[in-house]
Amino acid sequence: MPTEHQNSFDAGWNANFDEVFSTLPELINFPEFDGLYPAADNAVYTTSVVLWMLTYQRLSPDSTLEAAVKRLAQDNPVLLPKNKRVSDATLSKNTSGYSRARSRLPEDATTQFVARVSQSIIESSP
């Protein structure tokens, strides 16, 4: 059973994580990846959305697929394409679409993404 101190630490850590994670679009031009690695016209899980979710999943204290899909639905980032499921807020909470999209993501897309994030952090550091 978590202690009061642990719950306080977790709440603070989560708030800090949210603040830092929200700056990611300032470091990376996510839509550029959609041009380099296009998805199907009706896809919700575009390359930029999958990269955003993978980053969330790898850095978040709750790194499950379910947590990433929940975060996507909760945040509704501007990365989401113009799509009926997005505009009607009927995006499924099921993880299968995200799971399939992750498996379709080219390895080169993640390699370029990591390199650009790293370079952006280096350039923005004093």
Side-chain angles (χ1 to χ4, degrees), residues 27-29 32-33 36-37 110-123:
L27 296 174
I28 287 296
N29 179 1
E32 182 180 346
F33 284 90
L36 293 171
Y37 306 97
T110 56
T111 303
Q112 282 192 41
F113 179 75
V114 168
R116 290 185 191 185
V117 168
S118 299
Q119 188 60 40
S120 293
I121 291 170
I122 291 167
E123 290 172 0

Side-chain angles (χ1 to χ4, degrees), residues 82-102:
K82 304 300 179 232
N83 180 296
K84 183 168 176 49
R85 289 175 287 167
V86 173
S87 61
D88 291 350
T90 58
L91 190 58
S92 173
K93 304 284 190 288
N94 188 309
T95 62
S96 62
Y98 172 46
S99 181
R100 285 190 305 274
R102 286 184 342 157

Side-chain angles (χ1 to χ4, degrees), residues 27-60:
L27 296 174
I28 287 296
N29 179 1
F30 277 101
E32 182 180 346
F33 284 90
D34 291 332
L36 293 171
Y37 306 97
D41 289 341
N42 64 343
V44 170
Y45 294 106
T46 60
T47 300
S48 60
V49 170
V50 173
L51 289 169
W52 182 88
M53 293 176 74
L54 280 171
T55 304
Y56 173 80
Q57 192 177 359
R58 294 299 175 248
L59 299 177
S60 170

